[in-house]
Amino acid sequence: MDLNALPLGRHVDYPSHYDPALLCPIPRALGRDAIGLGGGALPFIGHDRWHAYELSWLDARGKPRVATATLAVPADSPNLVESKSLKLYLNSFNATRVESDAELLSRIAADVSAAAGAPVQVALGLPVIDEGDEASAESIDGLDVAIDRYGPPDATLLAAQADDVVEETLSSALLKSNCPVTGQPDWARVVIAYRGPRIDRASLLRYLVSFRDHAEFHEQCVERIFADLVAVARPERLSVEARYTRRGGLDINPWRATPGHPLPVAGRDLRQ
C-alpha cells in the first residue's frame, strides 16, 4: 500500500455530505510482518478504543446536534482505520439529516466495521477522566537515567530478571512516536501490567524513549511493545495500553494483552 496516496498529509476538501468512502482501511499485516507477527495466530487479544470529541449532525428537522462518541475496533480485525480518514468521515455528517440517534450509531458502526473488516462497537459519550490506574501504576519517568537512543525502537535495551517473579503495573508518559506519513508527533502514556520476571525499569524507560524518532502508527507501536516484552521477559501475563493525546478531535487507545486478561477499565487521562 502506498501510504502517500492516503488523504493524510494532503489538502483535502471539507466533506459537504455523508460519505463512507472517506474511510481509509490499512491492512494490519503491514505492521505485523515487520515485527514477526504475520502469518499465524495472534499472541494477544485487544482493541483500539477511539474517542471522538467533535461529532455533529442535523436532526430530522435540520437542527444541528453535537455529541461525543466512543468506538472500539477489535485487534483481530484485518484492517486498522487511518485517523484522518475517520475524522473526515465523521465530519461528513455535519450537514446530513439523520432521523434518530439510533440511526446515526447504526450508520457509523456499519461503515467503520466495513472498513475494519470486523464488527465495531459505537456508543455516544466518552469514558470519564479516570486516574485510577495512575494511582495503582508506578511511574518510571522519575528514574535518573542517561538516554541517547531515540530510534528506531531497540528491544536490546530491555532486560528482565528471570529469578525474580513479580506482579506489577508500570507506566510512562514519555512515549512519543511520529506519524509515518506526515512526521507529526504522537504522544501517549503507556501502562504495562504483567506477571513474570521482573522487568528492569531503567531498561524499560530507555526502550520506550527509543520510539521517540520512530515513524509508526499508534496501533503498531503498541503491538511492537507487546511483542518485544514477550520476547525478552517472557511474562505469564501481560497487558499494554497506550492512551494517546488528541489530534484532530480524536484520540486512540490501543490495548493488547495475553489471552484471558481482563479488559482494562475504560477511561481517559487528563491529557486527553
Side-chain angles (χ1 to χ4, degrees), residues 14 18 22 40 46 68 79 84 97 123 133 166 173 187 192 232 244 253:
Y14 184 84
Y18 163 67
L22 290 166
T68 55
N79 306 313
K84 185 172 182 179
R97 294 194 182 204
D133 69 338
V166 299
W187 308 90
I192 297 166
V232 172
Y244 280 87
N253 305 262

Side-chain angles (χ1 to χ4, degrees), residues 16-130:
S16 58
H17 61 279
Y18 163 67
D19 185 3
L22 290 166
L23 291 166
C24 289
I26 297 176
R28 293 189 189 271
L30 292 176
R32 288 174 178 169
D33 288 345
I35 54 177
L37 296 178
L42 294 174
F44 49 68
I45 59 173
H47 60 233
D48 305 324
R49 191 179 71 249
W50 292 86
H51 300 150
Y53 296 82
E54 300 172 2
L55 179 62
S56 184
W57 67 99
L58 304 178
D59 68 15
R61 299 176 63 191
K63 180 181 177 182
R65 296 278 308 278
V66 293
T68 55
T70 300
L71 297 81
V73 181
D76 60 359
S77 63
N79 306 313
L80 59 85
V81 181
E82 189 275 311
S83 60
K84 185 172 182 179
S85 77
L86 180 58
K87 171 185 171 61
L88 291 170
Y89 163 73
L90 294 177
N91 281 338
S92 77
F93 283 94
N94 290 350
T96 301
R97 294 194 182 204
V98 182
E99 290 293 326
S100 65
D101 292 359
E103 180 189 340
L104 176 77
L105 294 176
S106 177
R107 281 203 209 180
I108 295 174
D111 294 339
V112 182
S113 295
V120 172
Q121 298 178 352
V122 184
L124 294 180
L126 300 173
V128 298
I129 292 178
D130 176 16

